[in-house]
Amino acid sequence: YNITLSGGAATSNYLVSASYFKDVGTLINRDFERLALRINTEGRRGRFTFGENLLLSNSTRNGPFQGGFAEG
């Protein structure tokens, strides 16, 4: 899922975007999930331009073979 909002005026603009991704694997206990948020803004005043780019992301991965080698 994705959603994006953007807009602006003569001296500024913005973009806010959020996404969610989930993948369930074919093996038991194997899946991946990610949530992300992105914010970009920009402003202009005379000769100066200022702004920021921010990206926050969180992901979780589960699989049957995580970790090191098994001792036997």
Side-chain angles (χ1 to χ4, degrees):
Y1 302 98
N2 295 306
I3 186 167
T4 302
L5 302 171
S6 64
T11 60
S12 65
N13 56 31
Y14 67 90
L15 179 134
V16 178
S17 177
S19 66
Y20 175 75
F21 176 77
K22 184 169 184 173
D23 180 33
V24 178
T26 56
L27 297 176
I28 297 172
N29 295 329
R30 176 165 278 185
D31 57 53
F32 178 77
E33 189 172 20
R34 178 178 57 228
L35 180 63
L37 174 67
R38 178 180 177 178
I39 301 172
N40 297 352
T41 63
E42 182 179 271
R44 291 173 293 285
R45 188 166 189 113
R47 291 189 282 167
F48 298 101
T49 300
F50 54 92
E52 105 302 310
N53 296 313
L54 176 68
L55 175 63
L56 302 172
S57 178
N58 183 37
S59 60
T60 305
R61 179 185 313 256
N62 295 311
F65 304 112
Q66 291 182 348
F69 293 102
E71 303 251 348

